[in-house]
Amino acid sequence: MAAALPPPECVLCHRSDTSLDGCGLMQQVDGVCAHVNCLRCCICRKKGATVACRQKRCSRRFHLPCSSQRGCISQFFGEYSSFCWEHRPQQTVETLQEGHTTCIICMEVVEDSLSYTTMVCPSCKHAWFHRGCIQGQAYRVGLRHFACPHCRDQERFVPEMAQMGIRVPDIKPACEQEEEEELALPQLHGRCDARQCLYRGGREQWEEEG
Ligand SMILES: [Zn+2]
Ligand SMILES: [Zn+2]
Ligand SMILES: [Zn+2]
Ligand SMILES: [Zn+2]
Ligand SMILES: [Zn+2]
Ligand SMILES: [Zn+2]
């Protein structure tokens, strides 16, 4: 006769007891056992938080959409690590602001020192920006064009921004798509028989050039 299996252990708190007021009941998630309450989001307190802080011994878990509300960071490269607000990586650039510093992107004031929302270029140490503003920039231009808006550095700038949780998508940036469309214009106009030609120089100029 087979021996009775030991009760399953929660992968998060390593206990096997269940109680309705404490850890809650045991739940199977992705093939592992965990208490319902051990899987709660530490920000919204709701169930099913799949992102965990990477720091050893930190038990904070959260939903990805909740993470920015409390200053948690998720890195979108390598091991895709996440960190809670207490253990998130910080910029270590030593820099001083000159008087009231504004965001180089939106021109609104930034905080007095580096924080979750206020960041600086590690290369020129001169360009300050909001997290949301530099994230917007990264989405617009993509990996190949992402650079400090002030000194255009990529070598130190891009890895540091990625480290700080800025997502830099490897996409064809919007500006290149526009460039390609512009390049395609004369060709289109070669076949254009519209009464009002939209070619910038007018149809006559186009015909002269062609
Ligand atoms: Zn547990
Ligand atoms: Zn949540
Ligand atoms: Zn943590
Ligand atoms: Zn800004
Ligand atoms: Zn810079
Ligand atoms: Zn035309």
Side-chain angles (χ1 to χ4, degrees):
M1 210 177 91
L5 285 169
E9 190 181 78
C10 169
V11 292
L12 299 169
C13 69
H14 303 294
R15 292 183 355 202
S16 55
D17 58 308
T18 57
S19 60
L20 285 175
D21 47 345
C23 293
L25 298 170
M26 207 67 89
Q27 196 183 22
Q28 284 268 356
V29 183
D30 299 332
V32 296
C33 271
H35 289 112
V36 169
N37 287 344
C38 290
L39 282 168
R40 270 184 203 279
C41 174
C42 63
I43 297 158
C44 72
R45 311 305 305 170
K46 293 198 182 107
K47 293 179 208 168
T50 51
V51 184
C53 176
R54 184 65 190 271
Q55 186 76 26
K56 280 200 185 83
R57 293 203 180 87
C58 178
S59 61
R60 291 196 179 111
R61 303 179 68 84
F62 40 88
H63 299 110
L64 202 54
C66 296
S67 61
S68 60
Q69 292 170 23
R70 279 296 299 269
C72 305
I73 274 179
S74 287
Q75 296 172 338
F76 295 92
F77 68 97
E79 296 178 44
Y80 289 77
S81 304
S82 291
F83 301 90
C84 72
W85 56 90
E86 196 184 343
H87 300 122
R88 69 181 169 83
Q90 317 253 2
Q91 284 197 278
T92 52
V93 186
E94 280 192 29
T95 179
L96 285 171
Q97 290 187 6
E98 302 132 28
H100 261 302
T101 307
T102 52
C103 170
I104 194 169
I105 298 165
C106 74
M107 304 300 166
E108 304 274 338
V109 288
V110 293
E111 286 173 49
D112 292 338
S113 57
L114 291 168
S115 70
Y116 178 70
T117 48
T118 296
M119 303 168 78
V120 74
C121 167
S123 196
C124 64
K125 303 172 187 178
H126 195 79
W128 292 76
F129 35 80
H130 297 111
R131 169 175 290 271
C133 293
I134 203 67
Q135 179 61 82
Q137 182 101 334
Y139 280 142
R140 271 192 302 278
V141 301
L143 184 60
R144 271 188 298 159
H145 285 45
F146 191 44
C148 168
H150 181 73
C151 68
R152 311 306 307 168
D153 174 69
Q154 290 190 301
E155 206 176 320
R156 290 184 65 191
F157 181 80
V158 177
E160 172 126 341
M161 291 303 115
Q163 185 80 11
M164 293 302 127
I166 299 300
R167 188 175 199 160
V168 191
D170 192 6
I171 44 121
K172 180 177 276 188
C175 60
E176 273 188 18
Q177 282 167 19
E178 277 163 29
E179 276 165 25
E180 273 170 25
E181 275 160 30
E182 275 168 30
L183 285 175
L185 268 180
Q187 235 187 338
L188 281 176
H189 283 90
R191 281 180 259 115
C192 175
D193 54 8
R195 189 163 294 167
Q196 274 221 308
C197 179
L198 296 173
Y199 180 63
R200 285 199 192 88
R203 187 182 287 173
E204 276 168 25
Q205 191 188 328
W206 167 247
E207 280 166 359
E208 275 168 28
E209 281 168 13

